[in-house]
Amino acid sequence: MQVSANTVTFSVALPDGALPPEYLDESGKVSVLANAVAGTMDIVSRAEVTALERLRAGASVAEDSTTLAGLRDRGYVFDDPVVEDANYRGVVDGYFEAIKEAPFQFMFIPSFVCNLACPYCFEGELTRKSPRMTEEMIDAAFDSIPMIQELHENSGPPYITLFGGEPLLDTAPQRESIEQILSRAYDRGYPVTAITNGVALDAYVPMLLEYGCEEVQVSLDGTPEVHDTRRVFRNGKPTFKLIEHSIDVAAAAGLRVLIRVLVDLDSVGQMPEFAEFALAKGWIDNPKIRLFYGFTKQTSFLYVTPDHPPEKREKMVRGDVKPSLQEAFYRMLRDNPLVDRMLEPDPARIRAAVLEGDRVRPNLQGCSAGTSVVAFDPNGKVYGCPETVGRPQHACGDYFPGFRYSGGYREPWRHRHVDTVEMCRECNVKLFCGGGGCPIKAWAASGGDFNTCYCPKVSTIKTRVESELAYLLPMALQRRQSRTASGSPEKGMGTWDQMTTVGSFPWMT
């Protein structure tokens, strides 16, 4: 009997009295086991943790046989290495076979120009002046779609995303380019989405509906007081009211609207007020509207080239979301259930497992840009990540005036995953982080090698999961207590005694 290499132990601080003393370690925390191959996650007792660690250390575990049998049933411990390896290969290989038939996103950038001057924009100076896609370029981009899918061994349905700059600029030349893209997508039966700042979305709604656009994404950075200090026109004029109006027009017309809320230390305290606003607007309960969030982050890594000195590369790549922001975010959420209802945060991708009894889903790639995203820019170049557009060192080919695919750059990136990055192979949290971190950051930091690792330290990955568990588990415990008190049956669950034979919550049924 052995401990699975994919079994991870998380240590989580919960409120006093949340669980009986036998679940608390010496520091007063509870232990949560998770195995993304087995799909399991369980709160375990101190005795179960001790038995697991004794087995991991190679000690005699005869007296622990009953306990370990329960852990084996949940996939944390195994008897047969061949079966264990087959289960792992089934998860990893099965994922990469599945994405060959998954939808493939083709992003069209008719121009880099944007009418806003957001301080955190990753395209920066590109948005001031730009060429515009011609009709010939648009035709060439559509013609290259089957070739790119063949190179990616992808047979999934293509879909088109309008991207920028700002794709929905309300100017005659831009409207002409957008209609050309929409009409060609419509003729081919390709679904269309759009990512827009939203200030002129209302003017485009009739055109988008005419050509079957399915959804649009817009951004609001919280309340007007916060939003209008940064998502502003180049002359400094505010945009909140214009975007609010566009959201209402689009949703009323039948478009699905995704509202992205960027959160940072300046805006996190305004989230409760914004949630009250969204509730009053009817956005939270509107089936055509979904609100989600992202953290602002630095983007200097996009400017790195392999010939930068190592110390400069490291400095430019370092830094992402500060721990203090995540801590402030969770503090705010605990005091404001409406914000949780609005955003349903899930940075570690475990929310459904904890709250709904779903299985833990392995994260085998940190970003879909590696396999199923391509962007066409107005210079005739092809990019594999929308954040890298306009930076020639990250172009993976051309679509105009002729088609060229840079296999030397793109192929190592496309095939990069938890088994190809050496540092990830022996890491037992790799299935929670996607393996190796952002591939562009890894490429930049290493001087041009995709099969290297640039990720937060293992302790940071574990902290991310533990922070979300500390937030979600009290909610899960409270729900179960409420159901027990009301006599309501727990779908797919046994009694409390049955649940505690292997741990408190057998999430996977």
Side-chain angles (χ1 to χ4, degrees):
M1 189 178 290
Q2 296 175 256
V3 179
S4 169
N6 297 296
T7 294
V8 188
T9 305
F10 298 106
S11 184
V12 184
L14 295 181
D16 291 343
L19 286 172
E22 59 265 30
Y23 288 96
L24 306 182
D25 64 17
E26 293 179 355
S27 67
K29 295 182 177 180
V30 301
S31 295
V32 176
L33 295 184
N35 188 304
V37 172
T40 51
M41 178 176 281
D42 297 275
I43 296 176
V44 288
S45 68
R46 192 166 56 247
E48 290 166 321
V49 174
T50 299
L52 188 77
E53 293 309 315
R54 282 167 52 82
L55 178 63
R56 200 192 298 271
S60 174
V61 292
E63 67 272 27
D64 300 323
S65 57
T66 301
T67 299
L68 290 173
L71 296 178
R72 179 182 55 202
D73 291 342
R74 298 290 289 153
Y76 304 119
V77 170
F78 66 91
D79 293 319
D80 188 343
V82 174
V83 173
E84 172 76 359
D85 185 65
N87 290 340
Y88 174 78
R89 290 261 57 93
V91 167
V92 176
D93 297 343
Y95 170 79
F96 287 99
E97 283 300 312
I99 61 175
K100 290 181 179 180
E101 300 178 0
F104 202 117
Q105 183 182 30
F106 292 91
M107 309 183 81
F108 280 69
I109 305 171
S111 166
F112 284 123
V113 169
C114 183
N115 48 358
L116 302 192
C118 306
Y120 46 68
C121 177
F122 61 83
E123 290 182 358
E125 75 284 355
L126 294 173
T127 62
R128 290 185 173 274
K129 186 178 181 181
S130 168
R132 184 170 59 87
M133 273 187 173
T134 63
E135 187 169 6
E136 291 77 15
M137 295 174 75
I138 291 169
D139 286 334
F142 274 100
D143 289 343
S144 72
I145 286 175
M147 293 185 283
I148 292 171
Q149 286 196 268
E150 183 177 358
L151 287 166
H152 280 250
E153 304 173 284
N154 177 275
S155 61
Y159 73 99
I160 308 303
T161 296
L162 302 174
F163 193 59
E166 170 49 40
L168 304 186
L169 290 172
D170 196 12
T171 65
Q174 191 84 348
R175 291 180 69 88
E176 180 182 12
S177 295
I178 293 297
E179 186 159 20
Q180 288 168 355
I181 296 169
L182 290 172
S183 65
R184 284 156 177 76
Y186 184 82
D187 291 343
R188 290 165 172 77
Y190 297 166
V192 176
T193 64
I195 298 176
T196 170
N197 61 33
V199 297
L201 169 60
D202 56 333
Y204 271 91
V205 165
M207 183 190 295
L208 294 172
L209 290 173
E210 178 184 354
Y211 291 105
C213 180
E214 296 188 347
E215 69 181 23
V216 294
Q217 177 185 308
V218 303
S219 293
L220 281 175
D221 283 5
T223 61
E225 290 76 14
V226 172
H227 175 98
D228 285 337
T229 63
R230 49 197 190 180
R231 295 192 70 83
V232 295
F233 287 108
R234 293 196 180 277
N235 62 7
K237 289 187 177 180
T239 63
F240 187 95
K241 287 295 183 183
L242 293 171
I243 300 170
E244 176 191 350
H245 173 72
S246 282
I247 292 170
D248 291 337
V249 169
L255 282 172
R256 176 171 163 79
V257 182
L258 308 180
I259 303 175
R260 180 170 178 256
V261 183
L262 274 177
V263 179
D264 54 31
L265 288 173
D266 293 326
S267 66
V268 65
Q270 297 292 318
M271 285 298 105
E273 184 180 345
F274 179 70
E276 293 289 351
F277 169 84
L279 181 67
K281 290 284 298 182
W283 288 352
I284 293 178
D285 298 316
N286 189 327
K288 286 291 183 181
I289 294 177
R290 182 170 72 85
L291 295 103
F292 69 106
Y293 77 101
F295 291 134
T296 58
K297 57 185 180 181
Q298 66 84 25
T299 56
S300 60
F301 70 94
L302 296 172
Y303 298 84
V304 176
T305 60
D307 57 358
H308 277 124
E311 63 276 7
K312 185 173 183 179
R313 293 200 307 266
E314 177 66 23
K315 183 177 180 180
M316 293 175 71
V317 173
R318 188 188 305 118
D320 211 341
V321 177
K322 292 181 171 57
S324 57
L325 173 56
Q326 295 201 53
E327 293 165 6
F329 184 62
Y330 280 121
R331 283 198 304 270
M332 178 273 298
L333 287 170
R334 289 189 184 96
D335 295 334
N336 298 278
L338 181 60
V339 182
D340 179 87
R341 177 181 158 194
M342 176 178 72
L343 299 178
E344 296 187 340
D346 190 18
R349 304 187 188 187
I350 58 172
R351 187 182 181 97
V354 176
L355 296 182
E356 299 171 22
D358 194 5
R359 64 178 291 138
V360 174
R361 306 289 175 178
N363 182 10
L364 293 165
Q365 280 190 313
C367 177
S368 62
T371 55
S372 52
V373 176
V374 155
F376 302 115
D377 87 347
N379 296 303
K381 295 193 177 298
V382 177
Y383 291 84
C385 167
E387 289 191 0
T388 65
V389 294
R391 315 296 174 194
Q393 70 270 28
H394 294 297
C396 56
D398 303 289
Y399 69 93
F400 187 84
F403 181 75
R404 180 186 64 86
Y405 183 87
S406 180
Y409 174 85
R410 183 64 167 164
E411 288 301 292
W413 177 8
R414 187 168 73 85
H415 293 290
R416 178 182 187 270
H417 59 77
V418 293
D419 284 345
T420 66
V421 180
E422 185 175 356
M423 287 179 64
C424 298
R425 292 181 192 142
E426 303 303 319
C427 176
N428 79 334
V429 299
K430 63 186 177 184
L431 298 184
F432 286 88
C433 83
C438 170
I440 297 298
K441 288 186 175 181
W443 179 89
S446 67
D449 185 359
F450 277 111
N451 282 322
T452 55
C453 180
Y454 194 90
C455 63
K457 294 179 181 178
V458 169
S459 60
T460 308
I461 298 294
K462 293 188 73 172
T463 298
R464 183 191 307 165
V465 179
E466 288 166 351
S467 294
E468 187 167 346
L469 284 169
Y471 174 65
L472 293 175
L473 283 174
M475 295 168 60
L477 290 163
Q478 186 175 19
R479 291 182 185 185
R480 279 164 171 73
Q481 290 169 354
S482 298
R483 288 168 183 152
T484 301
S486 65
S488 300
E490 185 69 47
K491 182 179 179 181
M493 298 287 185
T495 64
W496 178 267
D497 288 340
Q498 290 172 325
M499 286 191 287
T500 54
T501 57
V502 181
S504 296
F505 303 111
W507 305 117
M508 182 180 172
T509 58

